[in-house]
Amino acid sequence: QKEVEQNSGPLSVPEGAIASLNCTYSDRGSQSFFWYRQYSGKSPELIMSIYSNGDKEDGRFTAQLNKASQYVSLLIRDSQPSDSATYLCAVNKAGTASKLTFGTGTRLQVTL
Amino acid sequence: DVKVTQSSRYLVKRTGEKVFLECVQDMDHENMFWYRQDPGLGLRLIYFSYDVKMKEKGDIPEGYSVSREKKERFSLILESASTNQTSMYLCASSPGAGGPRRETQYFGPGTRLLVL
C-alpha cells in the first residue's frame, strides 16, 4: 500500500462546477496535511494546510480532513480554467522532524 | 513571502561530469530538502538537512551528495552524472523548530537537468 494515494486522473470538470480531489494515507500517526498545486513544468505551490478534523475554507478552496478514515480532500468551488493543474497531497511522516510524503498527484482539467 | 531560488532552470551535462545544483532560501528556515520528480513516480526525497552541516539521507540518495555550509544555502552534488539522473530537481525549505507551520514546505522553481 502506498503511503499517500491519489487518483492520477485526469479529473475533468466543466467551468463553474465543483472539483473534488481525494487523498488517502496509511500512517495513523500523521498530524499535518497539505495540498499543493503544480502547473505543468512548474514547481509545487502551497494551497492549503489542515491539521484538525473537519473543514477548512480559504476562498474557493475547502480542505476536509477525516483522521478516523485516513482521508483528506480538496474541494474547488466555481472551477476556472486557470485551476487546471496537478494537485499534490502531502502528509507529514509521524516521528520524523519535518519530512512530508507526497502523493503522485491528481491532474485536474477544467473545461470551457 | 518565502523565497527559494535555484541556481539554474535548465542544465545540460554529459555523462561522468560533476554537477552542482544550488538552492538558497531567504526566510531563515531550519530545514532544507532536495527532491527529484519524474513522471509517474512523484516527488522523491534525495536528501534532507535540518541544520548547518547536518544532513540525512532520503529515499534515493545513491549517486548524490549534499552540502550545507550556511543556513540559507543547500547544494546537491551529482558526483558523476548518469543518464538515469535526467530529471526535474526541486529544492524546498521549511521553518522547522516549534509552531504549527514548522513542516510547511516551500519550493524553489526547479532545475530541469538533462544528462547526455
Side-chain angles (χ1 to χ4, degrees), chain A residues 14-26:
Chain A
E15 184 177 6
I18 295 174
S20 177
L21 304 160
N22 304 315
C23 172
T24 58
Y25 61 94
S26 61

Side-chain angles (χ1 to χ4, degrees), chain B residues 1-67:
Chain B
D1 272 0
V2 177
K3 193 75 183 292
V4 181
T5 57
Q6 293 183 230
S7 49
S8 306
R9 294 299 302 273
Y10 301 95
L11 215 47
V12 181
K13 296 292 181 180
R14 297 234 172 250
T15 302
E17 278 193 80
K18 191 168 187 175
V19 182
F20 293 87
L21 302 181
E22 196 165 73
C23 176
V24 177
Q25 51 93 5
D26 68 355
M27 285 301 291
D28 201 34
H29 283 176
E30 302 287 334
N31 302 322
M32 296 187 76
F33 307 81
W34 275 107
Y35 296 91
R36 62 178 284 177
Q37 186 175 34
D38 301 286
L41 297 177
L43 281 163
R44 293 181 291 169
L45 181 65
I46 304 172
Y47 266 99
F48 160 52
S49 170
Y50 49 92
D51 201 352
V52 175
K53 297 191 188 293
M54 305 302 285
K55 62 186 178 186
E56 191 175 304
K57 291 180 181 178
D59 301 316
I60 51 162
E62 296 79 19
Y64 303 95
S65 62
V66 290
S67 172

Side-chain angles (χ1 to χ4, degrees), chain A:
Chain A
Q1 183 188 4
K2 286 184 181 177
E3 292 179 74
V4 179
E5 289 211 58
Q6 295 180 257
N7 189 318
S8 62
L11 173 67
S12 186
V13 300
E15 184 177 6
I18 295 174
S20 177
L21 304 160
N22 304 315
C23 172
T24 58
Y25 61 94
S26 61
D27 188 345
R28 285 201 169 274
S30 295
Q31 297 293 324
S32 306
F33 307 86
F34 305 86
W35 283 101
Y36 288 82
R37 177 176 62 199
Q38 187 174 24
Y39 292 114
S40 181
K42 303 293 186 183
S43 62
E45 170 193 12
L46 179 71
I47 300 175
M48 291 187 71
S49 57
I50 186 167
Y51 304 95
S52 305
N53 279 330
D55 294 0
K56 179 182 176 183
E57 190 174 314
D58 184 0
R60 294 188 297 114
F61 299 98
T62 298
Q64 300 175 316
L65 175 61
N66 183 327
K67 290 184 183 178
S69 300
Q70 294 173 246
Y71 178 95
V72 58
S73 64
L74 179 70
L75 301 178
I76 307 174
R77 288 183 300 282
D78 188 23
S79 295
Q80 301 297 310
S82 58
D83 295 325
S84 297
T86 296
Y87 290 80
L88 305 177
C89 172
V91 175
N92 81 298
K93 282 196 172 198
T96 68
S98 292
K99 290 183 191 174
L100 299 180
T101 302
F102 289 82
T104 52
T106 298
R107 189 155 67 92
L108 173 67
Q109 288 178 339
V110 180
T111 57
L112 294 171

